[in-house]
Structure formats: structure tokens, C-alpha cells
Amino acid sequence: MDTLKSLLRQECEFQLSDELMDSFLSRFTKRDIKSKSTLISCGEIDSNVYIVKEGIFRVSHMDGTKEITLGFALPGTMVLSWFSFYYNKPSYFQIDACCDSVVLELPKQVFDSYVKESHEFSQWALSMAQCQLYYDELKQSVINGNAKERYISLLNNRPEILQNVPLGIVASYLGVTPQYLSYIRKQLTK
């Protein structure tokens, strides 16, 4: 659990005390998620909060008939459906395991009780939300350029994704076909 606490502390600037972090993490339930299994389904309500303990998850949505990969969640990342969590609406995104993974699951009601009862926890939750917005913008600044440049950036910044995620999903994330991704990879190995 110390590794997970360390990863969570890297996710935002505001740091929870050890006592509060331990209390918070003790309320989660561990879930094993098999590769290609869905954690949060598009079109369903799931207001739980999850923390990735092991593995990699893919965040995607359907754009007409095309599935688009928006991003990945790695160990230490908190994931949830904002539609479901805040408004009890069906999720717009789908979150799937890219490999055998483990998450910690917490009901919204427990999360809300921490927010209500602890100013320190509320500051941390706000910092986590702000940092997620920061990372969304950071991703846009790092994963940009043409397809080859985006692939190289992913290779340099998140090699674990390329090692553990099927290339078809990586291609979707980069906005190219799997065939074009193979072409890019061959160019780089020459």
C-alpha cells in the first residue's frame, strides 16, 4: 500500500496526512479486472470512485461508428465517471482494462462523507480534480504534432503503455489506423 500512497501523492500538489490517507484507503474494496473487461460502461450509471492499483485502463467513447481512445489510467490514478458521480447520469465514457489489472473501489457516499467531515480531505479532492485538468492539458501539449511525433512522444513519456496496451488501442489513441502505426514503427526501427 506504500507504493500506492506514493503514486497518489504524485498525482496532486496537496498532500493528505498519513493518518487520513490510511483511513481513506482502508475504506476501498479491491477488485481484480481481467484484460479487455469493462470497469465503467458507457450508457450506465456508475458513481463509484476507483483508484488504479495495478495495470492500465483505457478511457474511450464512440464517435459515430468509430471508437476513440482518449487516454489511459495508470497505477495511482483516480478514475470515475463525472456524469455519474456528480449528476447520477449514465457515463459518456467507457473505461476498460488493457491488461489484467487491479482497482480499489469506493462508493460515492463514502467519498462524500470524507468531503463533508474533513476540510483537509476536501482540499485534497479539489487538488486532485485540478490536477486531472492539468494533466489533460499537459497530454495535449506533449502528444501533439504529426502521427510519428505523437508516437515518439508516447514512447519517450509513457513506454509502459506501448509495452502493455494492444497496438490497435494505441493507434486509436494516436488517431491513426493500426496499419499506419505499424508503418511508423518500422520507420523508427530502420
Side-chain angles (χ1 to χ4, degrees), residues 29-149:
T29 304
K30 180 183 161 200
R31 277 185 55 194
D32 295 320
I33 310 291
K34 293 286 184 196
S35 180
K36 300 180 184 174
S37 295
T38 300
L39 176 65
I40 297 176
S41 296
C42 178
E44 294 183 14
I45 297 173
D46 183 339
S47 60
N48 293 318
V49 173
Y50 299 94
I51 296 175
V52 179
K53 185 174 181 192
E54 299 170 18
I56 299 175
F57 286 85
R58 165 194 191 209
V59 180
S60 65
H61 76 96
M62 291 300 289
D63 184 9
T65 59
K66 186 177 178 184
E67 193 172 46
I68 305 293
T69 300
L70 301 170
F72 299 96
L74 302 167
T77 304
M78 193 171 353
V79 295
L80 60 137
S81 163
W82 294 106
F83 274 25
S84 296
F85 185 84
Y86 283 108
Y87 293 107
N88 202 39
K89 291 185 175 185
S91 178
Y92 176 72
F93 299 122
Q94 181 146 313
I95 301 177
D96 300 303
C98 295
C99 54
D100 288 347
S101 301
V102 177
V103 294
L104 301 178
E105 177 181 4
L106 184 77
K108 177 188 186 324
Q109 296 79 7
V110 176
F111 187 91
D112 287 347
S113 71
Y114 274 88
V115 169
K116 184 178 179 181
E117 296 167 12
S118 171
H119 180 71
E120 176 187 352
F121 187 85
S122 297
Q123 286 178 287
W124 179 77
L126 176 61
S127 184
M128 287 293 279
Q130 290 169 332
C131 283
Q132 284 192 347
L133 294 172
Y134 165 78
Y135 284 122
D136 284 346
E137 189 171 336
L138 178 63
K139 179 187 93 172
Q140 295 304 316
S141 73
V142 172
I143 304 292
N144 61 25
N146 64 38
K148 185 176 179 180
E149 292 166 338

